[in-house]
Amino acid sequence: DLKLIRCYIFDFTERKLIEARLKDSEAKYRAVIEQVSEGIILFTADDFVIREANVSATKILNYSLGELIYQNIEFFLASNNQEFEQNLKLLKVNNESFRQELKLKVKNKNNLDCEISISLINYQSQLVFCLVFRDISERKKLEKKLKYQAYHDVLTGLYKRNFFLSCFAKTLAMAKRKPMIMAVMFFDVDYFKQINDNYGHDIGDLLLKQFAN
């Protein structure tokens, strides 16, 4: 009896080339995201489970990669943020990325003011949200300081005239709408110019501070 061995030959060259290109593309992608200073987190669009995070994300949030992966993104929100959830729902509908400021939890530290940008992408054949965030706590501190300086006197800490005029206008408008008695008190420091001239501005400043307290 004649026995035959059947042999099939398949050409995988093109598939191997595609796989190599994909691996090369993924390697370049990872090299880029690991170099950026912003934190990057990928989480699923259906149940908000984190799938990937870059090194900057672990440094900013002070969590290890193992602590981030498979955790729900809502765990890292400092408070219930309805605007954030609503924006995610809209993103799934219109596929338009959005920016927002919110506070994120940092391990063993105070909550962090962050500016985030989120877009919807396809990752490993699955729709995921790509969250890019950066620390804006220093900017927030500066904004708070500038706002304070805009309405407060640097020496005494008392409100400036512009703040008084704004409050006075609002109170006056309220008094016109509702029957109410409104009073304004004015305090003056007698002989303040003579104190400055005779004892110097340092003593005058000290007097103003004591008067303000």
Side-chain angles (χ1 to χ4, degrees), residues 106-122:
V106 180
K107 186 178 180 181
N108 299 328
K109 293 183 180 180
N110 295 329
N111 298 330
L112 192 68
D113 286 302
C114 292
E115 181 182 65
I116 68 168
S117 174
I118 297 188
S119 55
L120 189 64
I121 64 172
N122 192 293

Side-chain angles (χ1 to χ4, degrees), residues 18-30:
I18 294 175
E19 290 177 352
R21 292 193 192 104
L22 287 174
K23 288 182 180 180
D24 182 60
S25 177
E26 183 178 355
K28 290 179 179 178
Y29 165 76
R30 289 189 174 276

